[in-house]
Amino acid sequence: MQPKDKMRWDRFVEACPEATFFHRAGWKNVIEQAFSHETRFLYAEKNGEIQGVLPLAEIKSFLFGHSLSSLPFCVYGGIAANNDVARKELELAAQELACQKQVDYLEYRNICPVHLDWPRKDLHVTFRKAIDPDVEKNLLTIPRKQRAMVRKGLKYELGTAVDEDVERFFYAYSRSVHRLGTPVFAKKYFQLLKEIFAEDCELLTITKDGKTISSVMSFYFRDEVLPYYGGGTDDARKLAANDLMYWELMKRSCERGYKTFDFGRSKRDSGSYSFKKNWGFEAQPLHYEYQFIKSSQVPSHNPSNPKYKIFIQAWQKLPLSMANLIGPYIVKNLG
């Protein structure tokens, strides 16, 4: 994709109601440079004007199969188009590409259902809520018990700062995922996200006496803020640092005029699912749809799959340095 095409692509994404932050052209560079996966960012045009886009990435893995997905490492994806003609052209091009590459399946990560006759995975939900223009009203809409946790964090007089690099974020994030028993992304991935999306990618860090306690990487798109990756150290829970962190992000976003807080994807009945419900957010189902090419079953590459239980327990016992060294080689193929 040439630089001029990336500019055209992003202008379309910015204006198309169906498009999300995860349709932005920058994801092509991120996925190729961080994970070495082949990407195909398809677009339909008429009279030199883009009418629809479909970002796709191919993952080939001995352990986890062969897929063509829109879009791995992203919570939303699929076709974003202005009309049915463009949508149909992109649909046919994607199916032709999937058959040509003989993948196991073609996956669309849709917010709304599109292919009602395709197999789907109903494991994930998303949490989105309007931000009130009044800061204090946002605090008062948080349920009482969760609001008490925010006030607890305020009581500890924790420090907050916006970072320009990923060092403190990665320190908190890597410890958090290791505690959960899941592989960590390489630091390079987060560095690329910050480099490529620049001011639309922000790192907010919570500290206590100069020590990093928790941190979150957020994306900004149109009038939305999307806290996407976050984590905390062992001290985060007792200091209510994560609670304060998300409130601080909501407060800052309100003051800057953003209108929607997208708390992101969670697996049903998981810890993060319960945490977001406690904030007064309502779960909205995500519609991950699959067209089988060589496979005959919906993939199940997630920590709630019972067959990964022993792996998770073993991973939690690895030294952090070793987990951070090995993890990126595993997670790059999970998508």
Side-chain angles (χ1 to χ4, degrees):
M1 185 185 292
Q2 299 299 316
K4 65 177 182 179
D5 291 325
K6 290 182 180 179
M7 293 175 63
R8 295 172 61 222
W9 179 293
D10 278 340
R11 281 198 301 267
F12 172 82
V13 167
E14 184 71 24
C16 179
E18 293 182 349
T20 71
F21 180 84
F22 305 100
H23 286 87
R24 289 186 55 174
W27 285 99
K28 178 176 176 64
N29 297 68
V30 169
I31 291 172
E32 289 176 349
Q33 293 179 40
F35 307 112
S36 299
H37 296 316
E38 182 180 339
T39 64
R40 293 288 185 91
F41 275 43
L42 310 177
Y43 63 87
E45 64 178 346
K46 181 179 180 181
N47 299 326
E49 294 292 329
I50 292 180
Q51 304 292 309
V53 298
L54 175 57
L56 291 164
E58 179 185 8
I59 294 181
K60 289 182 180 180
S61 169
F62 175 76
L63 291 175
F64 304 112
H66 186 190
S67 64
L68 186 65
S69 178
S70 181
L71 195 61
F73 313 105
C74 300
V75 296
Y76 311 138
I79 295 171
N82 284 339
N83 57 73
D84 290 339
V85 174
R87 186 173 288 104
K88 184 175 181 180
E89 288 178 352
L90 290 167
E91 187 87 68
L92 292 174
Q95 292 175 5
E96 182 179 339
L97 183 62
C99 291
Q100 175 189 325
K101 290 183 170 293
Q102 281 296 286
V103 297
D104 296 329
Y105 55 83
L106 171 64
E107 176 191 34
Y108 288 158
R109 299 185 174 185
N110 297 319
I111 297 178
C112 299
V114 177
H115 307 91
L116 299 180
D117 57 336
W118 285 20
R120 67 185 61 238
K121 181 162 60 179
D122 295 318
L123 178 66
H124 296 105
V125 298
T126 191
F127 293 86
R128 293 167 55 85
K129 188 176 180 180
I131 300 174
D132 193 278
D134 186 297
V135 170
E136 190 62 25
K137 286 183 179 178
N138 287 302
L139 182 61
L140 294 175
T141 59
I142 300 172
R144 182 176 57 83
K145 289 185 178 179
Q146 182 57 49
R147 192 163 65 245
M149 292 300 292
V150 172
R151 296 194 188 282
K152 179 181 177 181
L154 289 168
K155 181 186 72 174
Y156 285 114
E157 298 182 346
L158 302 175
T160 62
V162 174
D163 292 338
E164 293 302 319
D165 60 53
V166 305
E167 295 304 318
R168 294 199 295 185
F169 163 80
F170 190 76
Y171 175 87
Y173 170 79
S174 61
R175 280 156 176 76
S176 184
V177 295
H178 181 249
R179 194 164 57 247
L180 293 171
T182 55
V184 68
F185 286 107
K187 186 187 292 185
K188 177 184 177 182
Y189 171 55
F190 300 110
Q191 290 171 331
L192 283 166
L193 287 171
K194 179 59 181 168
E195 175 188 331
I196 289 171
F197 294 118
E199 68 273 9
D200 294 332
C201 177
E202 185 182 80
L203 298 147
L204 180 65
T205 299
I206 304 296
T207 61
K208 177 63 175 175
D209 299 326
K211 180 182 177 182
T212 300
I213 304 298
S214 59
S215 190
V216 60
M217 173 179 277
S218 302
F219 301 134
Y220 292 91
F221 180 69
R222 292 197 288 242
D223 61 356
E224 303 176 4
V225 56
L226 303 88
Y228 200 62
Y229 292 110
T233 64
D234 292 338
D235 292 331
R237 182 183 292 270
K238 68 180 181 182
L239 295 174
N242 289 333
D243 307 273
L244 177 64
M245 178 174 70
Y246 288 114
W247 163 245
E248 184 68 17
L249 178 63
M250 187 180 295
K251 174 176 172 288
R252 288 170 179 242
S253 299
C254 171
E255 292 170 342
R256 293 163 64 184
Y258 288 90
K259 297 179 180 178
T260 301
F261 194 92
D262 187 331
F263 227 150
R265 185 181 79 175
S266 291
K267 290 181 288 294
R268 296 180 188 273
D269 303 318
S270 64
S272 65
Y273 176 96
S274 300
F275 179 76
K276 294 168 187 178
K277 290 276 286 184
N278 289 344
W279 280 77
F281 284 66
E282 292 297 325
Q284 302 170 34
L286 289 174
H287 304 273
Y288 287 12
E289 301 171 343
Y290 299 84
Q291 184 176 46
F292 296 143
I293 307 300
K294 292 181 65 178
S295 179
S296 59
Q297 59 183 6
V298 172
S300 183
H301 312 319
N302 66 82
S304 61
N305 188 330
K307 73 178 184 179
Y308 296 130
K309 184 177 180 180
I310 295 176
F311 172 84
I312 290 171
Q313 292 173 342
W315 195 264
Q316 290 170 322
K317 295 177 181 178
L318 280 178
L320 179 64
S321 58
M322 185 176 294
N324 285 352
L325 181 65
I326 302 172
Y329 294 98
I330 298 172
V331 76
K332 66 174 286 188
N333 291 316
L334 288 172

